[in-house]
Each structure stands twice: as C-alpha cells, then as structure tokens.
Amino acid sequence: MAYASIASLMRTIELLLTSNSPMQSLIGDHKEEFLALQEKVSSLEVFLKNFEKTNGTEKMAYLEAQIKDVTNAVEHTIQLRLTEAVMADDEMQKEREDKRLFDSLKQVAEEIDHVQNGSSNFQDYDTVSCYHRIWLLEKLTQYDGSSRKLKVISIVGMGGIGKPTLAKEVYDYESIRSHYDVRAWTTVSQQYNVKDILKSLLHSTIPDRFDLGNESRLAYMLQKSLKSRRYLIVLDDMWSRKAWDGVRQYFPSDNNGSRILLTTRNEEVAYSDGTKNLSLLMHLMEQDESWNLAKSIMFANEALPYDFETIGKQVVEYCQGLPLDIAVISALLSRFKRTIEDWENIAEDVMSLVTEDLYERHLHVLGLSYNHLTFFQ
C-alpha cells in the first residue's frame, strides 16, 4: 500500500532529524533540506487522501502504484547516500558525498512533484520507473572529481520501450535546466546525416541565427557555441556505431561536467566508450504491470466487464511488455463504443501476425492501430 511506503519514509526522515539520534550527524548541513522533504512527503499523504475521495478505483490504484514507487526510491536513495557518507575515509571524499547527498535531496523532491503534477492527466502515462529517473538525474548532475570530465550516458533498449520518454522527462527537469548552460536535443534515426545533426543542434545552441555552410563549417560553429559552457546534448535514437563516430569528435571537453545522453537500441553504441556502468538498460514491463497500465487507459475509473477483460488481456499479452504498444492499442480500444464485436475484430487483427520477433510485432501493432484509427475517424 502507498500509505505504508509513505509512513516508512516519514519514519526514516524523522529518525534523521531527532536531536538525540546518532544518525543526525550524518545529515551534516542539510537539516533544512530534510525538513523541506519531510513537509513534501507529508503533503503527499494529504494529496493521496484527497485524491481518493474524488476518483475511481482504477485511477486510485495507478496513483498508489506511482506513490509507492517514488517513496521507496526516495528512501533507498537517502539510505544509499548516508551509507556512502559513513564509508568516506578522508575529508575530500566526505565533501564529495556531502555534495551528492545535497543533489539527491533536490532530485527526490522533484520526483515527488512529478507524481503530484502528473496525476491530473492520466493519459500521460509514466511507464518508466522513478528509479531510472533518479539514476539519470544523478549521473547528469554529478560535478566533482572525475565527474567534471565529459561523459557519455546511454539509455539502451528496443524500440517502443520508452527510451525517449524517459530522456525527455529528465531533460525538462528544473534541476537539469539550472545545472547546464545550454541544452540541445536532436533525433538521429537510422537514415542519419551528420550535417543535418549538426544543424539541428545549432538551432538549440544558437537559436537566433547561424550561417549555413558545409559540414566542417557547421562543426566549427557547434564547437564554438559549446566551448567553455557546460552543456547537455541528447542524441535520440542513435542506431549505429558509425553514426556515433561521425559526430562525437565535435563535442568539446572542458572538464566542466558536460554530458552527452544517447538513446539507442544498439548495445555496441552504448558501450563503445567502455562506459557500461553509465548505461541504463531498460527492460520490458512485467505482466501485472502491463495489464494495470492497459486497464487504466481502456477503462479509466469505469467498471471492467468480464468479456472485455478477457479480450484486453489477450491483446496486452501479445504486446509482450512494450509500454508504447500497450498504450497505443489500449487507447485504440478505448475509443470504440464498448461493443464486444469491435474489440474482437481489433484483437483478431492485432494477433494475426504470428512471429517471435518482438520488434516485428511492435511495427505490426503500430500499423494496425493507425489503420483502425483512420477508419474510425
């Protein structure tokens, strides 16, 4: 239950803040941050109670799952940071861990805001674990010792699993916007062109204007626009090592904490710099998690008839844990007028392709969804 997770986190924070607790010395100069976090967690419990009064079972179940995830992640993060502080064996390392604790407190506070602010629109489904976001936020904002070097961080997983969704959520966080002097995003895709990639990035780094030119000229302008500035570059959907090698040389390294974030289906691209420990491998959703997502989209807070549930579960099982496919096909089913015949026809079309290739299934689902929506409109 979400209430139990909230209570556990509150006990952890209260223990740290108790004046005679031996753990209080671990929080250093961050008492105010912990007090603010305590207030935020307390408001989350009030928010959950108020939400319960005005919303149905399905929305409530989804929100509870989100709150349980985020409070467990927050508690885990606090415990991890405090353990690292205890293990620090010199003053310099203690200062680094103190900074990491401070950054983590800001990030977990944003995670709580993320849950509350996102609850008003349950069509924007957060299918990615908050542990992933906290991990990414930490890697993108570390700024001490070797973390000052330019680093490449990767989100790896097959198409449809939610890589751009996760990257975009983190890209727009306030702690990210304030941490970097400049941010730029471009989508690479399978049919890439280095010149187009450079032009797209320049639109973000020099938004007013820039001169057109050949690849060398564009590369020079990009390097100049990034020089001596802390930057975050997102290269979304990097398909091949060749594409990555074609642009990586144009990003300056000024030891100021700049980062490049790749989303890719290709583990060779993700691990090409020997940075496997900086790569986040995204997995498929579990069966129960998949069905909860689909059910929330298809029926919101309405009752779920047995016949529809049987068909819905068959379709969701076909999606094999791909969040995008589950969301797309569930949204399609929700648009039809609750006639069992329509659902049976869609299910038959969706499951007509018999293949073990998950990506081929993914394309099949997207194509059929497009065709049905075109007909429906």
Side-chain angles (χ1 to χ4, degrees):
M1 289 290 291
Y3 288 110
S5 297
I6 293 174
S8 177
L9 177 56
M10 287 292 287
R11 284 196 298 271
T12 296
I13 297 174
E14 288 168 1
L15 180 60
L16 291 170
L17 292 171
T18 302
S19 59
N20 60 352
S21 169
M23 297 181 68
Q24 191 182 49
S25 61
L26 297 177
I27 69 175
D29 298 324
H30 304 307
K31 184 175 181 179
E32 292 301 318
E33 286 83 0
F34 274 100
L35 286 170
L37 181 60
Q38 183 182 43
E39 183 176 348
K40 194 175 287 289
V41 176
S42 179
S43 70
L44 186 61
E45 183 175 18
V46 174
F47 171 78
L48 180 60
K49 289 179 179 177
N50 291 335
F51 190 91
E52 191 173 13
K53 296 175 183 177
T54 57
N55 290 272
T57 304
E58 299 297 338
K59 285 188 176 182
M60 187 62 193
Y62 181 77
L63 179 62
E64 282 197 310
Q66 291 295 294
I67 290 177
K68 183 178 178 181
D69 277 352
V70 76
T71 49
N72 287 345
V74 169
E75 187 165 11
H76 172 78
T77 300
I78 291 173
Q79 292 171 346
L80 178 63
R81 292 290 159 266
L82 294 177
T83 300
E84 290 170 341
V86 171
M87 299 295 290
D89 53 11
D90 59 59
E91 288 303 317
M92 185 175 295
Q93 187 176 354
K94 287 179 180 178
E95 289 181 8
R96 286 198 299 268
E97 297 304 337
D98 185 71
K99 175 65 165 56
R100 292 183 72 184
L101 175 60
F102 176 73
D103 290 341
S104 293
L105 289 174
K106 290 198 302 182
Q107 291 156 7
V108 297
E110 280 194 273
E111 275 300 308
I112 294 175
D113 290 337
H114 181 84
V115 169
Q116 288 183 298
N117 295 337
S119 66
S120 59
N121 183 3
F122 276 75
Q123 295 307 310
D124 293 330
Y125 288 94
D126 179 14
T127 58
V128 184
S129 168
C130 56
Y131 287 95
H132 288 172
R133 287 194 299 272
I134 291 176
W135 183 89
L136 267 182
L137 286 166
E138 179 181 336
K139 298 303 180 185
L140 290 173
T141 56
Q142 277 182 348
Y143 187 57
D144 53 65
S146 63
S147 296
R148 294 175 183 266
K149 296 179 181 178
L150 174 64
K151 290 188 176 182
V152 180
I153 300 167
S154 302
I155 305 174
V156 194
M158 68 167 296
I161 205 165
K163 301 185 299 295
T165 301
L166 174 58
K168 190 66 170 62
E169 286 178 346
V170 172
Y171 185 81
D172 288 334
Y173 265 49
E174 176 57 35
S175 59
I176 295 295
R177 292 199 298 268
S178 62
H179 184 76
Y180 290 97
D181 301 319
V182 60
R183 297 173 304 139
W185 178 299
T186 189
T187 300
V188 180
S189 75
Q190 192 170 13
Q191 302 300 323
Y192 73 95
N193 180 292
V194 173
K195 185 176 179 179
D196 289 342
I197 294 173
L198 296 173
K199 287 170 63 177
S200 177
L201 293 174
L202 277 166
H203 274 296
S204 297
T205 58
I206 312 177
D208 294 333
R209 66 177 182 85
F210 62 87
D211 300 326
L212 295 176
N214 58 26
E215 183 178 316
S216 297
R217 171 66 177 165
L218 293 171
Y220 169 78
M221 294 177 65
L222 179 62
Q223 288 177 316
K224 186 177 180 180
S225 71
L226 298 177
K227 188 67 177 174
S228 301
R229 304 172 76 186
R230 186 188 300 164
Y231 60 82
L232 170 62
I233 301 292
V234 179
L235 300 174
D236 179 36
D237 203 15
M238 182 68 73
W239 273 73
S240 68
R241 175 73 178 269
K242 183 179 179 181
W244 172 224
D245 289 340
V247 296
R248 63 192 304 172
Q249 59 188 309
Y250 300 132
F251 302 117
S253 179
D254 295 313
N255 289 325
N256 61 0
S258 292
R259 297 287 184 268
I260 298 170
L261 178 60
L262 304 177
T263 74
T264 181
R265 310 166 192 222
N266 190 334
E267 291 187 10
E268 181 187 6
V269 173
Y271 306 153
S272 60
D273 293 298
T275 54
K276 188 171 183 178
N277 63 319
L278 291 177
S279 296
L280 177 61
L281 182 60
M282 294 187 66
H283 298 284
L284 301 172
M285 297 178 73
E286 298 292 337
Q287 186 173 350
D288 288 345
E289 189 181 13
S290 298
W291 176 237
N292 287 335
L293 169 62
K295 191 168 52 173
S296 299
I297 299 173
M298 291 188 287
F299 282 88
N301 59 347
E302 302 174 35
L304 181 61
Y306 175 79
D307 290 344
F308 288 93
E309 178 176 346
T310 301
I311 296 174
K313 284 186 174 180
Q314 290 174 349
V315 174
V316 169
E317 185 178 355
Y318 180 89
C319 296
Q320 293 194 9
L322 276 176
L324 178 59
D325 287 8
I326 295 167
V328 167
I329 201 66
S330 299
L332 172 64
L333 290 169
S334 72
R335 295 188 63 173
F336 282 82
K337 302 299 183 181
R338 301 293 192 265
T339 62
I340 196 68
E341 292 80 10
D342 285 333
W343 276 47
E344 288 173 342
N345 289 336
I346 293 174
E348 184 178 348
D349 285 347
V350 168
M351 294 182 285
S352 63
L353 179 66
V354 181
T355 176
E356 295 301 319
D357 188 322
L358 190 53
Y359 185 63
E360 190 174 351
R361 288 190 179 206
H362 168 63
L363 296 178
H364 182 61
V365 168
L366 297 185
L368 287 174
S369 298
Y370 173 79
N371 292 336
H372 276 285
L373 280 176
T374 302
F375 171 77
F376 182 69
Q377 294 169 343

